[in-house]
Amino acid sequence: MGSLFSPKMPPLPPVQPLPETPEVSDEEKARIASEQAAMERKRKGRRSTILTGPLGVEEEATVQKKTLLGE
């Protein structure tokens, strides 16, 4: 009985072709390349400040208990 009352599905619209890529001048390509290089330099600069790896801190911990003498 479900097929008696279910609405019919409309046909799918035709697929449109992809738009053509615009032509980029040599100056524009050079500007884009310099911007991407600057972004890579900035990303590397921040990456060097991270002191942990994917498994956590990789160095040995310097754990000392304080004594009554102050060390």
Side-chain angles (χ1 to χ4, degrees), residues 10-62:
L12 295 175
V15 177
Q16 296 180 358
L18 294 175
E20 294 184 22
T21 57
E23 291 295 321
V24 180
S25 66
D26 291 336
E27 297 91 23
E28 188 70 18
K29 286 180 184 178
R31 185 186 62 80
I32 291 171
S34 66
E35 286 178 0
Q36 288 178 346
M39 287 176 15
E40 280 295 317
R41 281 193 305 273
K42 288 179 184 179
R43 187 179 305 143
K44 274 188 178 177
R46 287 190 304 264
R47 197 176 290 164
S48 67
T49 63
I50 299 174
L51 300 176
T52 59
L55 301 176
V57 178
E58 297 172 352
E59 299 174 356
E60 290 292 323
T62 55

Side-chain angles (χ1 to χ4, degrees), residues 61-67 71:
T62 55
V63 180
Q64 296 178 350
K65 290 187 176 182
K66 291 190 174 189
T67 63
E71 283 191 31

